[in-house]
Amino acid sequence: MNVFAVPGLPEVRPGDDIAALVDSQADLRDDDVLLVASTIVSKAEGRRADLADFPAGPRAREIAERLEEISGDEKDPRFAQAVLEESTEIIMEAPFLLTATKFGHVGVNAGIDRSNVGGAGEGEAGDDGADLLLLPERPSESAARIRENLESDPAVVVTDTSGRPFRHGQRGVAIGWSGIPASRDWRGEEDRDGHELEVTVEAVVDELAAAANLVTGEGDDGLPVAVVRDWEFGDHEGSDNLYRDIEGDFVRQALRGWEFARD
């Protein structure tokens, strides 16, 4: 398997055709997997916003005040309002906002980014340091559109970065995909000792997103697109069930009844 970043892509603006930009810089194959950072998908889809677009309501002000008290850092209630509006559920309000997005992803601050937002286009929010970048509204549909417009027919995965409970640091994750199942199911197959696998379901789109993150970087690299080549899904059953159903998400259920308290 080979993983490489696609160099030479320009700053993406609202309305840009990501597929055309990628095709101009990379010779893709039908069996490739194209991994596209959500930042440029959001930019192309006009998901830049300004804090002024989110006048804070009472709950947002209350959340911001509590977070400011906990951290000692000033918190803008308009940012809390943006998180509220981009979420279907606030799972934790302190010591940080852990939310469920409208498309099912669970992460901090509804995935709203305040880095690598880029310069404003005509008629957009100004470059006053308060710009926000919201996640794509329906990232799997975004992945499907990119794939449809490419000259070849690779699978497409829209990626983001997030932390994971019980571990330090962030890693790449998939938030949308097209042309590939989200996971491959090993259940019913046998290990080397002949034991039947009973629970192993591999989240391949997350693993591919993490591999892409190794070559695209997190800072000012300017490499938002990667290609995975010479990797095969194999003869396995596939599934698009990446996000746990709430009924079976016991960690979420436990967090709903938990409250942050400082010693």
Side-chain angles (χ1 to χ4, degrees):
M1 183 179 88
N2 295 308
V3 185
F4 57 91
V6 176
L9 294 172
E11 177 69 28
V12 173
R13 302 289 184 178
D16 280 353
D17 184 340
I18 291 176
L21 294 175
V22 172
D23 277 331
S24 71
Q25 299 296 325
D27 184 16
L28 298 177
R29 304 175 186 174
D30 288 347
D31 58 351
D32 287 340
V33 181
L34 181 70
L35 298 115
V36 184
S38 62
T39 51
I40 66 168
V41 177
S42 293
K43 290 175 183 179
E45 295 179 355
R47 294 284 284 164
R48 287 182 73 255
D50 191 82
L51 285 171
D53 300 327
F54 299 97
R59 190 180 181 201
R61 290 194 292 271
E62 179 182 341
I63 289 172
E65 288 172 4
R66 187 178 183 200
L67 293 176
E68 185 171 322
E69 179 184 348
I70 291 169
S71 68
D73 298 324
E74 185 177 354
K75 302 295 182 181
D76 194 321
R78 296 174 299 174
F79 184 79
Q81 184 67 40
V83 174
L84 289 172
E85 293 187 22
E86 287 296 305
S87 305
T88 58
E89 180 183 3
I90 306 300
I91 300 169
M92 285 172 46
E93 291 188 7
F96 53 83
L97 285 169
L98 182 69
T99 75
T101 67
K102 296 174 183 177
F103 58 87
H105 177 62
V106 173
V108 176
N109 294 334
I112 298 176
D113 209 339
R114 301 182 77 169
S115 61
N116 290 322
V117 176
E122 183 179 354
E124 290 192 286
D127 294 325
D128 58 1
D131 291 315
L132 309 176
L133 192 64
L134 314 179
L135 287 177
E137 291 186 276
R138 290 174 289 276
S140 285
E141 292 182 16
S142 302
R145 283 193 296 271
I146 293 170
R147 182 172 174 237
E148 181 180 358
N149 291 330
L150 289 165
E151 295 177 358
S152 52
D153 190 30
V156 175
V157 177
V158 177
T159 71
D160 196 25
T161 56
S162 68
R164 180 183 177 187
F166 316 115
R167 294 180 183 265
H168 289 293
Q170 287 75 41
R171 85 290 193 218
V173 297
I175 61 170
W177 54 91
S178 177
I180 183 176
S183 61
R184 54 184 177 187
D185 194 339
W186 295 80
R187 291 174 296 180
E189 302 187 35
E190 294 183 349
D191 67 11
R192 294 171 61 186
D193 297 320
H195 299 141
E196 183 175 324
L197 301 174
E198 297 181 355
V199 297
T200 304
V201 178
E202 182 183 9
V204 292
V205 288
D206 277 345
E207 293 178 322
L208 293 168
N213 203 55
L214 290 173
V215 298
T216 56
E218 287 280 359
D220 61 356
D221 304 84
L223 297 170
V225 174
V227 177
V228 170
R229 179 162 292 170
D230 297 327
W231 174 82
E232 295 183 1
F233 186 88
D235 186 18
H236 307 277
E237 293 293 325
S239 171
D240 279 332
N241 293 327
L242 186 64
Y243 303 120
R244 290 186 183 274
D245 293 331
I246 295 176
E247 293 76 13
D249 192 341
F250 302 116
V251 173
R252 185 190 297 200
Q253 292 178 32
L255 287 173
R256 283 172 167 175
W258 177 82
E259 283 194 20
F260 174 77
R262 289 185 297 183
D263 295 334

